[in-house]
Amino acid sequence: MDKNPVHSALKRQIPNFLSVGVFSAFINLLMLTGSIYMLQIYDRVLSSRSVETLVALTLLAIAAFCLQGALDGFRVRILSRIGALIDDALSPLAFRAATLLPLRGASPAEAMQPVSDTDTLRAFLGGAGPTALFDMPFTPIFMAGCFLLHPWLGWFALVGGILLIALTFVTEQRTGEPSKSASASATRRGVYADAARRHAEVVDVLGMRSAVVKRWIGISESFRSNVLALSDIQSGLGAIARMVRVMLQSAVLGLGAYLAIQHEVSGGAMIAASILTSRALAPIETAIEHWKGFT
């Protein structure tokens, strides 16, 4: 039996996580709609000049996009409820720890850390971060689609994925300590503010208000410094990841155009490869953007 309450709470949510996985499978399959639609438009509709075929394909694409949007909404709602259920299981234990740790010599900031960690876990599970974990297994499928269109397109998408994964490891290395520092300083700031509020009368009677405010300014400066350092690293690496992804999506269009000029692929395959590459790399970019939650 697992004695770790966090592991136990997560294990009880395995059926719900499986439901999210099923929704993710359908969502990722429906994400092929844009590629297939473009491929059919260029290779079938333009060559046949059939308005009926165009209308039929458009209606099917609209229905698929609507279904994808509905399933994505359901997936986010399930994840939010998973976060709430885990918070319901852990928050009493976190509160109990917060009341017991001071008796064992912990500082106020250390005592409040379990409550802060539980809130962080709930917020992360209810956000967009976990969707990257469920979408990541479908990245090889989209890359395989690129290989089917043309080996060069597949290798190009694969190298782009490796480049973004390398950025993910850089993000992990750069944000580890700043993330811990930001979390700890946020907890210290909250604890100090609460203590000052509870002892406001004593502080006023003893004439310590200026000293308390001065210390608050110092704690707030440390908090802002840690948060800004983490934000700068995350935003910088996230911007690089988005830039690389956009460049790769444009570059694959250029490569597809070259192959189309050489009559090795069709115009529709060129557009489809761009969409498939974008979808293959999207989960990696999402993971980078939400790396603070993962760590």
Side-chain angles (χ1 to χ4, degrees):
M1 182 178 179
D2 197 338
K3 295 182 179 180
N4 188 312
V6 178
H7 293 171
S8 299
L10 289 171
K11 284 182 179 179
R12 286 195 293 271
Q13 298 305 317
I14 287 178
N16 291 326
F17 281 123
L18 291 176
S19 299
V20 174
V22 172
F23 276 104
S24 298
F26 283 105
I27 289 169
N28 280 274
L29 288 175
L30 289 169
M31 283 178 179
L32 295 171
T33 301
S35 301
I36 296 173
Y37 181 72
M38 289 291 184
L39 194 60
Q40 294 300 314
I41 291 293
Y42 275 85
D43 294 350
R44 179 171 299 190
V45 175
L46 293 182
S47 60
S48 66
R49 298 183 181 275
S50 172
V51 176
E52 293 80 6
T53 303
L54 174 61
V55 171
L57 287 172
T58 301
L59 291 176
L60 287 172
I62 291 173
F65 283 130
C66 289
L67 180 57
Q68 176 187 333
L71 292 176
D72 198 22
F74 283 128
R75 178 172 68 168
V76 173
R77 293 182 68 178
I78 293 173
L79 284 170
S80 298
R81 280 151 180 78
I82 290 174
L85 289 170
I86 289 178
D87 180 75
D88 184 59
L90 296 180
S91 59
L93 297 174
F95 180 76
R96 183 169 180 268
T99 58
L100 289 177
L101 284 172
L103 303 178
R104 301 182 181 179
S107 67
E110 291 171 336
M112 289 302 297
Q113 195 63 47
V115 176
S116 176
D117 290 343
T118 303
D119 291 339
T120 300
L121 181 60
R122 185 201 68 249
F124 172 72
L125 289 173
T131 61
L133 294 177
F134 292 99
D135 291 339
M136 203 81 73
F138 297 93
T139 292
I141 297 176
F142 293 125
M143 289 189 177
C146 293
F147 273 104
L148 289 175
L149 294 173
H150 195 280
W152 285 17
L153 296 172
W155 284 113
F156 189 89
L158 182 60
V159 171
I162 293 173
L163 182 59
L164 285 179
I165 290 173
L167 281 174
T168 303
F169 283 107
V170 172
T171 302
E172 162 64 17
Q173 293 295 322
R174 295 289 304 279
T175 60
E177 286 303 318
S179 179
K180 293 178 182 178
S181 298
S183 177
S185 61
T187 302
R188 283 196 303 271
R189 189 169 182 261
V191 169
Y192 186 78
D194 183 63
R197 178 190 59 80
R198 287 187 288 106
H199 299 97
E201 293 183 3
V202 177
V203 169
D204 189 58
V205 170
L206 296 178
M208 299 173 59
R209 188 173 300 278
S210 297
V212 169
V213 172
K214 185 177 180 181
R215 186 179 177 191
W216 166 259
I217 291 173
I219 293 175
S220 295
E221 287 178 351
S222 175
F223 168 72
R224 286 193 297 270
S225 176
N226 290 329
V227 170
L228 286 174
L230 178 61
S231 176
D232 288 345
I233 294 172
Q234 286 183 316
S235 60
L237 292 173
I240 292 173
R242 287 191 295 273
M243 177 192 70
V244 169
R245 182 184 164 199
V246 171
M247 288 177 59
L248 289 172
Q249 190 173 356
S250 298
V252 78
L253 271 175
L255 178 59
Y258 171 78
L259 294 173
I261 292 172
Q262 300 298 319
H263 302 289
E264 295 191 31
V265 298
S266 64
M270 175 183 70
I271 302 297
S274 175
I275 299 174
L276 285 172
T277 302
S278 175
R279 288 311 317 158
L281 303 181
I284 304 174
E285 182 186 345
T286 302
I288 294 174
E289 290 179 350
H290 296 85
W291 199 251
K292 178 183 176 182
F294 283 106
T295 55

